[in-house]
Amino acid sequence: MKKIFLLISLFLLSNNLLAGFIASNVQKINPNYPTHILIAGYPENLGEMFVYSLITKANIYLEKSSVEQVIIIGRGDDEQIIKKSGFKILSSKSGLLKPELIKTAIKDVKKISSIDIFAHSNALSGASLDSNSWVYQLLNEKDDLWDDVAKKVNNSSFIFIHGCNAGIKLAPNLARKLKIAVWAALTSTDFQYLYGNENENEKFWSFDYNANINKKSSTNNLSFTTPKSCSKNCTRMKPDNSSYKGHWGNWSAGGYPAYKLFCGSNTNVTCELGALEALYSFPSTHQYLVNKSNLNNFKKQLIDFMCPFAYDVKKQNICQMNLENSLESTIPSPYSPFKGKTLVCDRIQCKAHFNCSSLNAAFNPGNCSLETESETDEDSFTFTEEYKYLIEIYKKNNNNEINN
């Protein structure tokens, strides 16, 4: 009995040492302002990288408009970083970060413009909000939080899930439920940093392991090999350009080189504006969100978003050329820069599912796998068709701004 009492006491003590917080750029939330919700989950061994990525995105939203506000929801461990970044802590609550705290944060908000989730995620149980030695707090498509969200979104709202593999189940299901644009990865994701030569205007985003490659300037032979030198808005998340291999098995069946858009329907026009708004606010070197006046600017932003070779001008140009060529032909192009098999997807879902028994999930997740549902010889046109779709909806929604 004493042992049981001790275990219970330790559990309660560890739970009380943890806390979740709500922060914002304003001291008091205005219920009538368009609001961006940003959530940083349990980092495990990643330190503060989720929070740094969140801060980059939050600052972009605030630079975009003076009549919008952000609400940041996170774990107590990250509270001081958020505070030092200029945001105001509105409230804290003891215990693990749970979906209930997110519900509290959005309770009085009338207009949700976006929700960004920076957290570990998987194709089985969703995104990981918090953890202690005994339990994980998860956020998935079954949570009743989304019933509250559904009442506050509109046709320009979107959800962006920045962690691994959320495009297999969580994102498609949320898109069907909410009927808005949802972006997510179909492989692992990692952190990119802003690099550049201090004497040059050109900068590029790169994973650390690619930044050491001898990147060449597009205008001269100067090499961009200096370490990242940036004091603000320097971190973003992006999918790896290879199939997932890790805790949840070896996904050699396929993947995708960029975040994938899901709309719940291939003909969902309410998804269009949200898809574009997500692209406008994606961290980039092109400052498109400040000057989105023509198609060429949009294409620069889109290439940075979709092509995985920002650290290599030659490879990035090849990716861009193939995407541009796909616009000129009525025959679908199977081009993809992905290292591995590219999944066959539309804007509803991908032809794949996660195969993981309860026993494997609990005791041997490495035996789980991604199973493709496409034919063995079926080509994937997913990458180029996504590009064509995004160009089309840009033109459709910017008829007066098109300038080739």
Side-chain angles (χ1 to χ4, degrees), residues 49 52-53 56 191-194 205 233-237 283:
M49 299 317 301
Y52 290 147
S53 303
T56 295
F191 302 94
Q192 290 191 331
Y193 310 96
L194 191 60
W205 291 87
N233 300 351
C234 307
T235 312
R236 73 180 186 184
M237 296 184 72

Side-chain angles (χ1 to χ4, degrees), residues 19-22 76 79 89-94 101:
F21 68 87
I22 300 171
E79 186 173 321
I89 306 301
L90 304 185
S91 66
S92 299
K93 185 176 181 180
S94 62
L101 187 62

Side-chain angles (χ1 to χ4, degrees), residues 230-249:
C230 179
S231 59
K232 182 181 178 183
N233 300 351
C234 307
T235 312
R236 73 180 186 184
M237 296 184 72
K238 216 168 182 237
D240 290 319
N241 191 36
S242 57
S243 300
Y244 173 83
K245 185 177 181 180
H247 179 81
W248 295 101

Side-chain angles (χ1 to χ4, degrees), residues 100-139:
E100 285 74 15
L101 187 62
I102 305 173
K103 291 175 68 174
T104 298
I106 69 170
K107 180 181 177 182
D108 296 324
V109 172
K110 296 178 181 178
K111 303 173 184 177
I112 294 180
S113 297
S114 66
I115 298 177
D116 286 89
I117 302 172
F118 298 87
H120 290 290
S121 56
N122 63 71
L124 184 67
S125 53
S128 176
L129 293 181
D130 208 348
S131 175
N132 59 21
S133 301
W134 289 275
V135 65
Y136 278 91
Q137 285 296 330
L138 301 168
L139 179 65

